[in-house]
Amino acid sequence: MTVMEQRGAYKPTPPPAWQPRTDPAPLLPDARPYRVLGTEAAAQADPGLLRRLHAELVRGRRYNAQATALTKQGRLAVYPSSTGQEACQVAAALVLEDRDWLFPSYRDTLAAVARGLDPVQALTLLRGDWHTGYDPREHRVAPLCTPLATQLPHAVGLAHAARLKGDDVVALAMVGDGGSSEGDFHEALNFAAVWQAPVVFLVQNNGFAISVPLAKQTAAPSLAHKAVGYGMPGRLVDGNDAAAVHEVLSDAVRHARAGGGPTLVEAITYRVEAHTNADDATRYRGDAEVDTWRDHDPIVLLEHELTERGLIDDSGIQAARDAAEAMAADLRERMNQDPPLDPMDLFAHVYAEPTPQLREQQAQLRAELAAEQEGPHR
């Protein structure tokens, strides 16, 4: 007995019965990734949507192949291919309304193109050209983000601000499994859940953070299980099943738009190509593993469903390929043209109001350029 208790100034009481603030059961993801193609649920899928998904997947595969070829030709400094992950990329773009925002990572150029961005503009940053290459506000696509996961807090901030303003806007933020190991991932999910921001987090679990397998990043049953710790629903989906990814993301976007708060979606997919053209993937994985995932190719899965249901024939498949080839030819032609370079662009978009030092440097460069145009003094 303490001195305070002896004096009668302290009377301990038993703690109240503890109750969780939220029932965790509804937040838990399914035990296995959700699928549509090849199941009874496929019969309920909209045929028009399936055909559109197929056309975008075919175009996306060709886009990845052409961009990879451009790196070998020296027209791109680097390209992180999303070959094998096209279903995630396309579905993320198609579930959003025009007023919504997409927050891509560096591997999500295809998602930006599927949302309507000019294929050349989507590659401008990877080309080493100036700034982003496109107007984020016009397209509602945030700048392609090279630092891991830093786009996630930005997505939450925009979504939270939209909610405060009463705007009917949802943000969809894309990240890889490696990005889920970053502090920005934790901060974004925690912030989003506490403030019930209308944001959807899509983790494309493609097996590796460059050369680090997921098992060396986390011991969680799945990345989708992490949602429970933040107080939001977690969904687990087959990332190579375009119809399933579209359905799950559509549900999450509707949930967010209705005021239900954020959702964490983990899509199980695979990066068939190397991390970038500068990576040698054979150092950390074998051909047999890659071949196994090639048998679960998102285009093959969808084409099989469409042909089995009589929703597409050989001419329809060829039409999708022809359209993709036309896109690749246009991309190739325009990327083979040297972009016009203006040294004065160095001072554009640095500050809204240029500092005195920048104005001085700008004037100095302008004078030097004028002197060069006049030629050497005789």
Side-chain angles (χ1 to χ4, degrees), residues 204-217:
Q204 298 174 85
N205 179 2
N206 64 16
F208 294 91
I210 307 182
S211 60
V212 180
L214 186 65
K216 292 188 177 181
Q217 295 185 62

Side-chain angles (χ1 to χ4, degrees), residues 44-366:
Q44 308 301 319
D46 176 34
L49 172 64
L50 293 181
R51 283 190 288 265
R52 185 182 180 192
L53 287 169
H54 172 261
E56 290 291 344
L57 289 181
V58 173
R59 187 171 78 125
R61 178 64 56 83
R62 188 65 186 89
Y63 176 81
N64 273 315
Q66 186 59 67
T68 300
L70 287 168
T71 63
K72 298 176 181 179
Q73 298 164 7
R75 288 297 179 179
L76 284 179
V78 67
Y79 184 69
S81 174
S82 59
T83 297
Q85 301 178 219
E86 292 94 347
C88 299
Q89 303 273 314
V90 168
L94 297 190
V95 298
L96 297 176
E97 301 289 342
D98 289 343
R99 61 189 180 278
D100 297 329
W101 275 79
L102 178 71
F103 282 79
S105 73
Y106 59 87
R107 195 176 299 281
D108 301 322
T109 49
L110 175 54
V113 171
R115 183 150 168 76
L117 190 64
D118 184 306
V120 171
Q121 290 183 338
L123 294 174
T124 297
L125 179 67
L126 301 174
R127 192 180 194 174
D129 206 345
W130 64 287
H131 305 303
T132 301
Y134 57 89
D135 183 351
R137 291 190 180 185
E138 177 186 352
H139 300 282
R140 297 295 177 108
V141 177
L144 290 165
C145 184
T146 301
L148 290 183
T150 55
Q151 74 275 18
L152 304 186
H154 298 164
V156 177
L158 182 141
H160 181 52
R163 181 168 174 263
L164 292 177
K165 292 169 61 179
D167 293 342
D168 187 19
V169 170
V170 172
L172 194 156
M174 305 177 71
V175 69
D177 52 288
S180 71
S181 297
E182 295 289 328
D184 295 81
F185 179 86
H186 160 76
E187 292 158 4
L189 268 69
N190 194 57
F191 181 20
V194 169
W195 291 101
Q196 289 293 281
V199 59
V200 177
F201 300 97
L202 172 59
V203 179
Q204 298 174 85
N205 179 2
N206 64 16
F208 294 91
I210 307 182
S211 60
V212 180
L214 186 65
K216 292 188 177 181
Q217 295 185 62
T218 179
S222 74
L223 295 175
H225 277 81
K226 294 192 174 188
V228 183
Y230 297 103
M232 69 177 69
R235 296 294 306 275
L236 189 62
V237 63
D238 182 342
N240 286 18
D241 183 333
V245 180
H246 189 277
E247 180 182 328
V248 169
L249 289 179
S250 294
D251 289 345
V253 168
R254 281 193 294 268
H255 179 77
R257 203 183 304 281
T263 300
L264 173 63
V265 177
E266 178 187 1
I268 306 298
T269 183
Y270 194 78
R271 169 169 55 78
V272 175
E273 303 290 345
H275 176 69
T276 69
N277 54 294
D279 172 42
D280 178 9
T282 61
R283 293 181 297 112
Y284 53 84
R285 66 184 190 187
D287 292 340
E289 177 181 320
V290 179
D291 291 340
T292 298
W293 277 94
R294 290 188 190 278
D295 294 337
H296 195 63
D297 184 278
I299 297 178
V300 174
L301 292 177
L302 189 49
E303 280 188 0
H304 178 76
E305 186 70 40
L306 288 168
T307 53
E308 284 290 303
R309 293 176 55 187
L311 299 176
I312 198 171
D313 56 17
D314 290 344
S315 62
I317 293 174
Q318 188 60 48
R321 293 174 180 171
D322 290 344
E325 193 58 46
M327 177 276 301
D330 178 70
L331 175 62
R332 186 168 58 248
E333 179 182 356
R334 290 196 288 149
M335 288 295 292
N336 281 329
Q337 299 171 6
D338 292 329
L341 300 178
D342 183 358
M344 298 307 296
D345 282 342
L346 288 169
F347 303 97
H349 311 297
V350 180
Y351 291 99
E353 180 64 33
T355 64
Q357 292 85 355
L358 276 180
R359 288 197 295 269
E360 179 182 350
Q361 294 169 14
Q362 188 178 33
Q364 180 181 351
L365 178 58
R366 185 179 291 111

